[in-house]
Amino acid sequence: MVPKMKFHTDMINSLGAAGWAIDDDGSQVAVVALAEGQVIGSGVADGYRPDVFQAHAQMAGSKTAGFNIAFDPDRLRPGAPTLVKVMASAGGRQIQIGEDYVILPPASAPDAMPGSAGLASSYPKAIDALVRRAYPDANGSPEQFAEAVRRTLSLSDLRPLPAVSDYARFLTACWAHFRFVEQFFPHTNKLTENRSSKDFFCKVNSAEEMITIAHHLYVLKSYGISGAFAEFGCFKGFSSSMLSYACNLLGIEMHIYDSFEGLPESSSGYYRVGEFCGSLDEVKANVRQFGVIDGVKFHPGFFAESLATSPPPPLMTLWMDVDLYSSAQDVMAIASSIAPEGAIFSHECVPEAFQGPVPASVRSGPDEVVPAILGHFDEVKSEPAGRFVAGYTGAFWRRDQGIPVLGPQDIISSIEILSR
Ligand SMILES: C[S@@+](CC[C@H](N)C(=O)[O-])C[C@H]1O[C@@H](n2cnc3c(N)ncnc32)[C@H](O)[C@@H]1O
């Protein structure tokens, strides 16, 4: 039988590689690291590894199977990610035991890169700059850029940079929290026993929709956009519980507007007055239990009145889930207080509304909110851009000044990479 090796490469970065390797026939294992065919570091697997001994006590040499080799930084191309392969050899045999991209990290994230200055990206400013520096050719399409972001976020060399660690901390914390809210928030509406009524269930949107809003807030903040965040239509406080957590992490004041008596009268043949009711006490209790209530301001009343008596301060962005054209119209009365870079997020959107070059209403009537949103863009004489997000959520922003909203798939794939 041909002897085999057991091995594990624990880490590879621009400083070196560490791990362990044992040869079945007891020969000492030599380890070498190659970048672009050149040797950039070498050593032998002879370091003390009690953990390996515990797992492979029957194998000769398992107690001293560790390697920790340093790389010669002069052999790495500055600024560019380089593929490093780690090879182990023993008894005349050589195998690859690991590979990863490494990069010599800058002392801090570059602030703005030539060519990107002034252009707002869907990613945080410092992440955008890091990606453009590591992958200067990744600008061909949004898909290509998203792939370059994923590669950049996988580079363990860059993780200690505040730009990367802060982004990772925010996204992974929000994602874990949003999933917690999805799982533990009350399922059903205690005000109705009718299982077939449309407000029987209390979770009418998803973590995917909410992470997109949270990410956009983070991006706006990274570009120095200031202001508060407002939610219109909270029902029992499900989306409020997620978004209040994100606002708290970002130090953003959150304003919640709702009648706390359910939907107003309307000419809708589908929605009925009083549906989707959560009392102020019920919502506050839920936000306290499932979100972060500090920094949240509640504005009870029908929008037409509450916005007149208690208008929001300048906003970074807003989220509305208001079911009715008339309610969306009322909210749009204050939409010009949104920063020109910020988006309007709304429920009651379908993918078909975003299929053309400009978002368009695919239906009209008392249950359609998109015509009211597009009316706002007409009023401020700004061409809208937009995208479908997930579930029934869409996003709209000013084509000329708005920061394009990144979709949930790209955000979640970054979270997966940052959690590894
Ligand atoms: C579908 S629910 C919102 C769901 C919520 N985002 C969630 O995560 O569960 C619609 C909400 O909009 C509120 N609403 C709709 N039109 C309103 C208006 N004109 N004034 C005040 N509240 C309104 C209702 O009271 C209700 O709470």
Side-chain angles (χ1 to χ4, degrees):
M1 196 180 81
V2 182
K4 287 194 189 131
M5 273 186 227
K6 288 210 176 342
F7 58 84
H8 187 261
T9 302
D10 304 335
M11 72 100 194
I12 305 175
N13 63 28
S14 60
L15 297 174
W20 58 267
I22 325 168
D23 190 54
D24 257 3
D25 71 3
S27 313
Q28 189 167 62
V29 180
V31 182
V32 65
L34 304 168
E36 293 169 344
Q38 275 208 39
V39 174
I40 58 166
S42 61
V44 285
D46 61 359
Y48 183 49
R49 285 291 296 246
D51 56 327
V52 180
F53 179 58
Q54 200 171 29
H56 302 286
Q58 76 292 355
M59 292 186 75
S62 60
K63 199 180 250 176
T64 52
F67 66 84
N68 193 342
I69 57 177
F71 296 165
D72 177 355
D74 294 338
R75 303 210 168 183
L76 292 172
R77 249 188 302 139
T82 310
L83 181 64
V84 171
K85 295 185 180 207
V86 180
M87 315 293 295
S89 41
R93 288 158 286 116
Q94 187 178 55
I95 57 166
Q96 183 176 319
I97 61 169
E99 68 169 32
D100 212 341
Y101 282 90
V102 307
I103 188 166
L104 290 170
S108 62
D111 200 31
M113 295 301 293
S116 73
L119 282 183
S121 137
S122 302
Y123 289 92
K125 187 177 180 189
I127 296 292
D128 183 75
L130 269 180
V131 174
R132 288 175 197 278
R133 179 187 165 119
Y135 295 98
D137 303 329
N139 244 338
S141 65
E143 293 72 29
Q144 210 183 4
F145 194 76
E147 178 55 25
V149 172
R150 285 191 282 276
R151 284 170 182 256
T152 304
L153 297 179
S154 332
L155 292 165
S156 78
D157 282 308
L158 301 184
R159 292 196 162 182
L161 291 177
V164 180
S165 58
D166 189 72
Y167 189 47
R169 188 171 170 161
F170 175 75
L171 284 182
T172 55
C174 280
W175 189 236
H177 184 80
F178 293 7
R179 302 298 293 271
F180 151 75
V181 178
E182 274 189 335
Q183 285 164 22
F184 290 88
F185 198 85
H187 297 291
T188 55
N189 182 353
K190 52 188 178 208
L191 298 179
T192 171
E193 279 165 14
N194 179 1
R195 288 187 70 90
S196 59
S197 74
K198 57 181 98 53
D199 60 357
F200 182 70
F201 292 105
C202 298
K203 306 181 201 184
V204 295
N205 40 62
S206 63
E208 280 78 6
E209 287 155 276
M210 296 304 115
I211 197 75
T212 308
I213 302 176
H215 185 268
H216 187 62
L217 284 168
Y218 186 96
V219 173
L220 290 170
K221 209 177 161 200
S222 79
Y223 279 95
I225 314 298
S226 59
F229 171 67
E231 174 181 70
F232 294 88
C234 63
F235 187 24
K236 303 291 183 185
F238 180 64
S239 54
S240 328
S241 295
M242 298 192 199
L243 295 170
S244 62
Y245 180 86
C247 284
N248 178 265
L249 287 183
L250 295 171
I252 294 172
E253 196 175 84
M254 179 169 176
H255 294 258
I256 300 181
Y257 288 83
D258 201 289
S259 64
F260 299 101
E261 295 174 13
L263 297 176
E265 276 189 44
S266 73
S267 54
S268 170
Y270 178 68
Y271 291 112
R272 305 260 172 273
V273 64
E275 281 178 332
F276 293 99
C277 175
S279 72
L280 182 56
D281 285 348
E282 195 180 1
V283 174
K284 280 188 174 171
N286 282 338
V287 175
R288 212 171 273 120
Q289 187 176 349
F290 299 101
V292 181
I293 202 160
D294 303 337
V296 178
K297 293 198 163 59
F298 293 89
H299 303 267
F302 288 105
F303 302 145
E305 293 129 48
S306 58
L307 285 172
T309 53
S310 175
L315 298 174
M316 295 167 87
T317 181
L318 70 75
W319 148 242
M320 63 179 194
D321 182 358
V322 300
D323 299 329
L324 300 168
Y325 173 79
S326 54
S327 297
Q329 277 279 71
D330 290 342
V331 175
M332 287 303 106
I334 55 86
S336 48
S337 63
I338 302 175
E341 298 85 352
I344 294 173
F345 289 89
S346 180
H347 214 239
E348 284 80 51
C349 288
V350 290
E352 295 77 49
F354 302 94
Q355 269 158 11
V358 176
S361 11
V362 285
R363 284 183 294 255
S364 59
D367 310 335
E368 298 306 325
V369 302
V370 175
I373 298 169
L374 297 178
H376 157 72
F377 285 92
D378 274 351
E379 209 161 280
V380 295
K381 299 192 177 24
S382 184
E383 192 186 353
R387 69 164 299 140
F388 180 67
V389 172
Y392 287 98
T393 295
F396 304 79
W397 60 90
R398 294 180 185 217
R399 187 175 295 280
D400 55 347
Q401 287 168 284
I403 296 186
V405 168
L406 188 68
Q409 290 82 2
D410 286 326
I411 299 168
I412 293 164
S413 68
S414 291
I415 294 171
E416 282 165 359
I417 287 165
L418 291 166
S419 310
R420 274 184 216 140

